Amino acid sequence: MHLLMIETEARPSSMIRTEDRSGVRIITLDNPPVNALSLKLCGELFPIVEAASADPSVRIVVFTGAKPGFFSGGADINDFSQSPPPDAKSIRDVIAAIDKSDKTYVAAIDGNALGGGCELALACDYRVASATSKLGLPEILLGLIPGAGGTQRLPRLLANRTKIVEYGLQGALQFMLTGQSKDAKQAKAMGLLDDVAEGPVVDAAITFAEAKIADRRPKCRISEMTVKTGALPFLSMQAHSMIPMTVAKGGQAAHALVDALEAAVDLDFKFGIAREQRIFETLALSQQSLSYRHLFFAERELSKIPGMADATATEIEKAAVVGAGTMGVGIAVNFANAKIPVSVIDINPEQVERGKKFLADMYGDQVKKKRMTEDEAKARIEGVSFVTDYAAIADSDIVVEAVFESMAVKKDVFGALDKAVKPEAILATNTSTLDIDAIAQSTSRPAQVIGTHFFAPANIMQLLEVVRGKDSSPQAIATSMKLGRTLKKKGVLSGNAFGFIGNRMFFDLSREANYLIEEGALPQQVDKAMKDFGFALGPFATFDLSGLDVFHKINLEAPSTGARQSKIADRLYELGRYGQKTGAGFYRYDPAVGKGREAIVDPAVEAIIHEESAKLGIMRRVISDEEIVARCVYALANQGAVLLGDGVALRPGDIDIVWIYGYGFPPFRGGPMWYADTVGVKTVYAQMLEWKGRHGNHWEPAPLMKAVAESGQSFATYKA
Ligand code: NAD
């Protein structure tokens, strides 16, 4: 069909353009970078929709995005935290105006239609998208539910597009519960899209709408559809039981989503919409959603580093790893997955063989689980070459060292790398505890030396601490931070302090966990209390997983904090109880129980703990779970405040990201610094002073903790 453009109207708006073509009004959203449906944009969009509805010359209204890549990324998250002016228009008002209109509405999607963007598309009669588009309702990832009709329209649409109503409802629930987007082909298959366009999407959308009008189906409002199923109570019971049962475990939004879906089936549309809105508003104010939104913004801040505006990152096209141990091979996998060729060197041929086997097994498993084709797996394995000579890595853009944790060995390796590898290359160390500056001094290029601290298992854990030495250049920092993004990690910049950010704080948590068992708790109680709080793993299970031998060695080298060192872990170490790897640590492990990974309570450990309490003259007492959590988490927040005060960590949000992605802190609590804010820094500070009197000077609040508490502010908002 030839469509003649008869009128172009430039409205006095920078966010929205309209254009008329033979009875078709094209409304183009142009709000870079993601076409967020902010209150400001909606304020402009609302009268444009009303005008289109009132214009007798308009038959079809098309929504589209100005640039390929984004239809709309959804609502502006900043708007959730502010109360809008009473006359403000939101995406809900725009959608209600569409619902009232008798025109044919079609969404022409070229790129991402997410959240409110997807809901705007659902409000239209038809949805047409280019093949590369993606549709999603990711609100759950922010502790919310879709709040502009998505929970009411999607189940109605899918239930009416599938032969078995329940499948449609399940599909809708699944889509919103995972928050993962679908590509155009998948979205068409599930009934969310009407057509996938081959050519220009606006033309295809108009052609589609014209055909529907010719077919006497000008309107297809989801709000007018109903869902009939007798199976709902069973479905929703099943759904509730699949989600963590307690709201306190982070499932608040997920349970609320099931409730909203029930409303879509049980209630008339307008009542369902009202229910959705009430649920959304409750969630928007919930602690869980505020925590998720805090983390969303904290992640976006990570790359903002003061004084680095002019620094340019070098492109990493070729990488090398020294050491084919646990970490080295895991790090190499990251490069292979990012399609950056990587060479691995190790002095021990057995480790090289072990590394090759690890790659073959790991990628083989991916193929078996259908996460990757055989060709892809082969290409990734071939992306990792094992070499024996430093000459073979001379042209690498970055070398990551992951040899034994020994300063002497690392200095040797860096000296050799400095001579062998091109002068502009970055030499990075994966050390957990050693001084980056001392390592840098063994080279002639300290500005090019930096820490890249990966977490085990390096191919899985998302955290990367980038540790700047005193001489690390802005270019080395920018390159390492960018590498983090390339490797799909959360890169957090840390200063060169013992233990950097994460491990330094973990020492304080360890100290408290050990004191608690000396005073009357047992490892299983501490671990359970921390897991109930939401941690992925309790501290004693963590010791056993990482190895008591590793902690023993680190403790020997750690600078003294003045706090008494508990002897319990040392006694277990002396008995050869290193944790899971030796079948015993704070717990016992039996190969026949949970493949040797399940912690079994061991009376022998309890006896040692009682002996140590007696030696210290401690009268053991009953300790509440609340005290356990408060002592462990406040200890983290206080050390976090030390690191912020010393400039080791840039922002409280950076610390939270470290703990969420590196140490299993529950994301719905936002991280240790955010958690202290939610408790109230004043309350935390007062409790610390009380503990200082009772337990000793290690509870001395950090100067920053004191300052924030006395100012009545929070870590997140603190201004001196
Ligand atoms: P590992 O013992 O598993 O591996 C070390 C490897 O280095 C061995 O294969 C060894 O043969 C090789 N090696 C030793 N000297 C070498 C040399 N001169 N040249 C080439 N290869 C050499 O150790 P790992 O657990 O992989 O730890 C490596 C580094 O990563 C350490 O600095 C450690 O502190 C750090 N790290 C470890 C973890 C962890 O959980 N394992 C986590 C973060 C950081």
Side-chain angles (χ1 to χ4, degrees):
M1 194 195 313
H2 180 71
L3 293 160
L4 182 68
M5 194 171 83
I6 56 165
E7 187 193 351
T8 303
E9 185 188 352
R11 290 182 176 271
S13 151
S14 55
M15 288 192 184
I16 298 167
R17 290 198 305 273
T18 62
E19 173 192 326
D20 281 2
R21 294 188 199 173
S22 316
V24 179
R25 181 153 301 165
I26 302 164
I27 300 177
T28 303
L29 310 178
D30 190 6
N31 183 19
V34 299
N35 276 341
L37 299 168
S38 61
L39 290 175
K40 188 152 181 277
L41 180 139
C42 292
E44 290 180 18
L45 184 54
F46 181 78
I48 291 174
V49 169
E50 293 227 301
S53 292
D55 189 335
S57 73
V58 173
R59 290 174 300 120
I60 297 171
V61 181
V62 179
F63 289 108
T64 195
K67 291 190 193 75
F70 264 101
F71 176 75
S72 168
D76 186 333
I77 299 171
N78 286 308
D79 288 344
F80 298 161
S81 312
Q82 295 156 13
S83 17
D87 57 344
K89 297 290 177 208
S90 74
I91 186 62
R92 285 191 193 119
D93 299 303
V94 172
I95 286 175
I98 296 171
D99 243 354
K100 272 196 230 133
S101 169
D102 61 359
K103 311 292 179 187
T104 299
Y105 283 81
V106 54
I109 301 166
D110 189 9
N112 288 350
L114 304 176
C118 186
E119 291 175 293
L120 176 64
L122 282 166
C124 294
D125 296 288
Y126 300 107
R127 288 151 294 281
V128 175
S130 62
T132 50
S133 297
K134 286 200 164 135
L135 286 88
L137 289 170
E139 288 81 351
I140 197 95
L141 305 176
L142 296 176
L144 298 167
I145 62 167
T151 67
Q152 302 305 295
R153 285 192 178 83
L154 187 68
R156 280 180 166 76
L157 176 67
L158 300 196
N160 279 280
R161 290 281 153 92
T162 37
K163 285 206 179 74
I164 302 170
V165 171
E166 287 75 16
Y167 285 1
L169 293 180
Q170 269 173 2
L173 183 60
Q174 189 84 11
F175 185 67
M176 293 187 278
L177 264 183
T178 60
Q180 301 303 317
S181 37
K182 301 269 183 200
D183 63 29
K185 205 170 138 204
Q186 294 167 320
K188 167 106 195 298
M190 69 193 271
L192 173 53
L193 274 183
D194 293 289
D195 204 8
V196 179
E198 306 253 306
V201 72
V202 170
D203 293 351
I206 296 171
T207 307
F208 188 92
E210 294 282 15
K212 288 289 174 188
I213 292 171
D215 205 18
R216 303 224 171 101
R217 283 191 289 165
K219 279 173 67 183
C220 184
R221 292 287 144 87
I222 300 174
S223 53
E224 287 163 16
M225 296 177 183
T226 51
V227 185
K228 286 202 173 49
T229 173
L232 184 72
F234 173 69
L235 277 181
S236 58
M237 202 172 70
Q238 224 185 8
H240 277 301
S241 69
M242 281 160 62
I243 299 164
M245 276 316 279
T246 54
V247 165
K249 277 279 187 180
Q252 187 173 2
H255 285 287
L257 181 62
V258 180
D259 294 342
L261 193 98
E262 268 181 44
V265 180
D266 281 348
L267 304 179
D268 283 353
F269 184 77
K270 67 173 185 216
F271 294 120
I273 284 284
R275 172 79 59 86
E276 176 197 85
Q277 186 167 342
R278 272 203 309 280
I279 297 177
F280 179 89
E281 277 160 10
T282 307
L283 290 174
L285 297 174
S286 71
Q287 219 32 273
Q288 292 196 2
S289 177
L290 289 168
S291 299
Y292 285 119
R293 274 140 61 193
H294 155 66
L295 292 172
F296 175 85
F297 288 117
E299 263 187 64
R300 295 213 307 202
E301 292 279 295
L302 290 177
S303 58
K304 294 185 192 150
I305 300 166
M308 296 271 301
D310 298 333
T312 40
T314 311
E315 211 53 56
I316 303 287
E317 284 169 4
K318 211 161 175 266
V321 175
V322 187
T326 315
M327 293 305 287
V329 175
I331 294 167
V333 167
N334 283 293
F335 285 110
N337 288 347
K339 301 195 171 67
I340 298 172
V342 58
S343 305
V344 182
I345 290 197
D346 199 295
I347 41 170
N348 181 348
E350 276 173 30
Q351 287 290 80
V352 170
E353 285 318 305
R354 196 201 61 89
K356 286 182 181 167
K357 183 170 179 311
F358 176 85
L359 292 179
D361 290 351
M362 197 268 296
Y363 282 120
D365 199 43
Q366 297 282 309
V367 174
K368 242 188 250 156
K369 289 182 177 150
K370 297 205 180 341
R371 291 192 189 140
M372 199 175 273
T373 64
E374 268 185 49
D375 285 350
E376 269 171 338
K378 190 163 165 272
R380 299 213 188 166
I381 293 172
E382 282 170 3
V384 184
S385 42
F386 288 86
V387 299
T388 48
D389 193 344
Y390 281 138
I393 60 167
D395 61 346
S396 303
D397 300 304
I398 189 167
V399 182
V400 181
E401 164 280 312
V403 301
F404 301 134
E405 186 76 342
S406 144
M407 183 56 91
V409 178
K410 295 214 193 258
K411 279 188 165 173
D412 272 359
V413 168
F414 271 76
L417 286 173
D418 189 37
K419 290 198 185 76
V421 183
K422 65 180 180 185
E424 63 273 27
I426 289 176
L427 305 181
T429 171
N430 188 48
T431 180
S432 319
T433 52
L434 301 174
D435 178 7
I436 310 287
D437 294 334
I439 296 172
Q441 286 315 312
S442 59
T443 73
S444 62
R445 57 177 108 174
Q448 296 293 92
V449 175
I450 197 158
T452 48
H453 185 214
F454 290 79
F455 285 68
N459 52 318
I460 293 173
M461 294 294 281
Q462 278 185 280
L463 180 63
L464 175 71
E465 282 181 326
V466 171
V467 188
R468 72 196 296 174
K470 73 174 166 45
D471 298 317
S472 302
S473 67
Q475 173 259 351
I477 296 170
T479 304
S480 306
M481 294 297 287
K482 183 166 172 224
L483 177 68
R485 291 192 291 278
T486 308
L487 302 184
K488 299 204 165 68
K489 304 275 179 199
K490 316 290 173 198
V492 178
L493 187 68
S494 169
N496 179 26
F498 187 81
F500 315 134
I501 296 174
N503 283 345
R504 176 66 166 269
M505 290 168 68
F506 188 73
F507 297 145
D508 290 66
L509 187 156
S510 308
R511 180 201 68 219
E512 273 321 294
N514 279 295
Y515 284 0
L516 283 160
I517 60 173
E518 288 173 353
E519 288 170 37
L522 287 170
Q524 55 271 29
Q525 188 201 351
V526 173
D527 280 356
K528 181 171 181 306
M530 296 300 274
K531 278 185 78 173
D532 286 348
F533 176 76
F535 266 88
L537 213 59
F540 293 101
T542 306
F543 298 142
D544 277 3
L545 183 66
S546 304
L548 267 61
D549 51 334
V550 175
F551 287 104
H552 182 79
K553 194 164 169 286
I554 293 175
N555 280 339
L556 291 179
E557 287 168 23
S560 168
T561 59
R564 180 178 57 78
Q565 193 84 44
S566 168
K567 295 273 186 299
I568 298 170
D570 287 343
R571 285 194 56 189
L572 297 174
Y573 168 79
E574 280 153 17
L575 292 170
R577 299 180 67 121
Y578 294 172
Q580 282 192 21
K581 59 177 117 171
T582 58
F586 277 97
Y587 298 98
R588 205 164 57 74
Y589 299 89
D590 182 338
V593 183
K595 295 186 183 159
R597 294 203 196 108
E598 201 172 304
I600 304 167
V601 171
D602 191 344
V605 175
E606 196 173 330
I608 291 174
I609 294 170
H610 279 265
E611 279 172 30
E612 286 303 315
S613 302
K615 272 193 216 159
L616 292 164
I618 294 175
M619 180 79 106
R620 291 176 67 81
R621 64 186 169 96
V622 174
I623 298 182
S624 70
D625 289 358
E626 290 72 32
E627 181 178 343
I628 290 172
V629 168
R631 279 177 56 180
C632 290
V633 180
Y634 294 2
L636 288 178
N638 193 48
Q639 186 57 246
V642 172
L643 296 175
L644 281 171
D646 291 352
V648 174
L650 284 177
R651 290 161 287 247
D654 285 25
I655 295 178
D656 290 333
I657 295 287
V658 165
W659 272 80
I660 301 288
Y661 289 102
Y663 297 82
F665 196 100
F668 62 90
R669 298 198 193 271
M673 308 314 285
W674 181 259
Y675 182 71
D677 280 351
T678 59
V679 171
V681 179
K682 232 179 181 156
T683 307
V684 175
Y685 175 70
Q687 180 63 77
M688 287 183 65
L689 288 181
E690 200 247 309
W691 285 337
K692 185 183 164 197
R694 192 146 31 113
H695 299 293
N697 282 342
H698 56 276
W699 278 115
E700 174 69 36
L704 182 68
M705 173 77 79
K706 183 172 189 273
V708 175
E710 286 176 352
S711 72
Q713 300 177 53
S714 63
F715 285 115
T717 57
Y718 180 66
K719 299 247 173 333

